[in-house]
Amino acid sequence: MRDSGNVLNSLAGHSSDLNYKFERLYRLLFNENLYALAYQNIASNEGNCTKGADGQSIDGMSVERIHNIIDKLKDESYQPYPAKRVYIPKKNGKKRPLGIPAFDDKLVHEVVRMILESIYEGHFEKCSHGFRPHRSCHTALASIHEGFDGTRWFIEGDIKGFFDNIDHDVMIGILAERISDQRFLRLIRKFLNAGYMEKWQFYNTYSGAPQGGVVSPILANIYLDKLDKYMQKYISFFNKADKRRVNPEYKRIESRKYKRVKKLKNETDEQKKEVLRQEINKLHHEMQQLPATLDMDENFRRMRYVRYADDFLIGVIGSKEECVKAKEDIKAYLHDTLKLELSDEKTLITNSSDHAKFLGYEVTIRRSDKTRKDSRGITRRSLGYKTVLLLPTEVMRKKLLDYGAMKIVVENGKEKWESKSRPYLRNNDDLEILNRYNSEIRGIYNYYCLANNCNILNSFYFYMKESMYKTLSSKYESTVRKIIRKYTRDKIFYVQYEDNRGAIKERALYHGGFRQQKQARLDFADNLPSYRATQSTSLMARLKAHECEYCGATDNLKMFHVRKLKNLEGKQEWERFMIARKRKTIAVCNNCYRKIHGNKK
């Protein structure tokens, strides 16, 4: 049986060859090693402990369970279960449907996902950043920060209900362009047509891909890669001229300055040289008040495009009329070719002096005549028309209100923020309270660290810190001043705790500041993933050992999973065993598996 890493790397070797057709992919689904790697990849996800429509979860995973899946795939009797539908809140107050597939289906999804990723990763465009290895929201934002300088207009793109409106026939047609294996394509169609269960009622899925499905993100990227390639072609026709025309007034002053510089080199009289220097400085200052090129050069056009999932941002150097035409062209392409609809209410044309919204940031182009000295000490006007990423104040406001760490008071018609305690944290111990605040502070900073104004998080930090003081003072029925005096040393807030070995340790409230982090590893983003086989300590290797990790009996094993170790109380012997091993899994014999489930509350 071929090693999983070799199988995937072999597929990836042909990824960038657009003329290569992949055949006999379905037989790869019979490779047990791929399921071992898939199991290892998704086992740590806590959601796997939620039962699917088949009544099973990741708990009880075994080699036999994988063999049953492979047997069904071999005779094509495999049929995915419908996903359990749940709803999660969106930022706009609406709810997003989420599908929870059965775990056996998740395992097959992951194997298919790895195969598709190997085939398509080298095929995707650089402008795509969502759900891809080495790429993220930060690489998408960094590419905007580095590549959108000089933009005059933004087109904020949003595809209406994308995941719910993927056309199945179009999807299979796109896959068939590179995959020549009908059995493999039929399997993917089965995933798309599996339907969903809501309140124990079955619903067919005639279009769309389930949000929450393991294979859905890669299918979405394959689908929208068509849009990416259309945009690259559109941009190649849109772009015009190599550079803008020089501003005639700027060129005239520059010519006068150059003549005086040339004259200064040949002048010997010190008094005349001083006069020439003053004239040169004056002309240089006049040049800095003017743009070097014509802003409204009709013969110069540029377009940039970045996509993350179904959201995209286009930067245009050109007229608003050209932006309107581009928007209509994109809308027509999506409708006619991909059977998708561009959201009119969310697809906006925004002047670059205003703020466009993308991935929670506000994007704008700085207008500035300020100057700074370059490496040679020459003063240059180099700050104008630079891309700026901003953290919206509204984000901090909403976070503080959602956490319950702040209240808003209106005084004299003006809004005033006040920190407050969080009563629902009072029953937690001091370390849990501190960790909660640290994770929330670090969470917002880690995401908005690319923002040019991320230092405004100092204000967020102030309210969070005050809220923590008030929460602790409420817990101990004390005052904020006493709490600060008790826990603060050298102006840093510490909480002492006892570790598992009985040693006294302490943890500090975050105090690392909020400086802008400019690097998002764009240099690493274009590296293709390299696949490796599972190691000898993998979950599957433990199952194949046939020796119960709990009692030592020789048997066909099942993997027992718990959602979180901290949820175990340590009352049962198996709980103490898992806590001591610091593992959420234990490979046990059938007898021990039944005993554990019999003792579970």
Side-chain angles (χ1 to χ4, degrees), residues 2 7 9-25 27-28 118-120 123 174-180:
R2 292 178 66 192
V7 170
N9 286 325
S10 175
L11 295 174
H14 300 287
S15 178
S16 55
D17 182 359
L18 302 185
N19 297 317
Y20 187 85
K21 295 276 280 189
F22 291 86
E23 301 175 348
R24 296 187 293 178
L25 293 177
R27 66 177 186 171
L28 299 179
S118 302
I119 292 171
Y120 282 95
H123 173 88
I174 293 171
L175 290 166
E177 292 176 7
R178 298 215 68 188
I179 297 172
S180 182

Side-chain angles (χ1 to χ4, degrees), residues 156-221:
E156 304 172 51
D158 184 89
I159 299 169
K160 195 172 184 178
F162 168 66
F163 279 95
D164 294 331
N165 292 299
I166 291 175
D167 187 282
H168 293 175
D169 292 333
V170 173
M171 180 81 256
I172 298 300
I174 293 171
L175 290 166
E177 292 176 7
R178 298 215 68 188
I179 297 172
S180 182
D181 186 334
Q182 289 305 312
R183 290 198 297 171
F184 190 80
L185 295 178
R186 280 200 299 271
L187 177 63
I188 291 178
R189 192 179 280 277
K190 282 182 179 180
F191 292 157
L192 297 173
N193 293 335
Y196 64 91
M197 297 286 291
E198 186 174 359
K199 296 180 179 178
W200 299 107
Q201 185 171 349
F202 174 77
Y203 295 89
N204 278 308
T205 47
Y206 299 106
S207 65
Q211 295 187 57
V214 177
V215 78
S216 296
I218 185 73
L219 290 178
N221 270 338

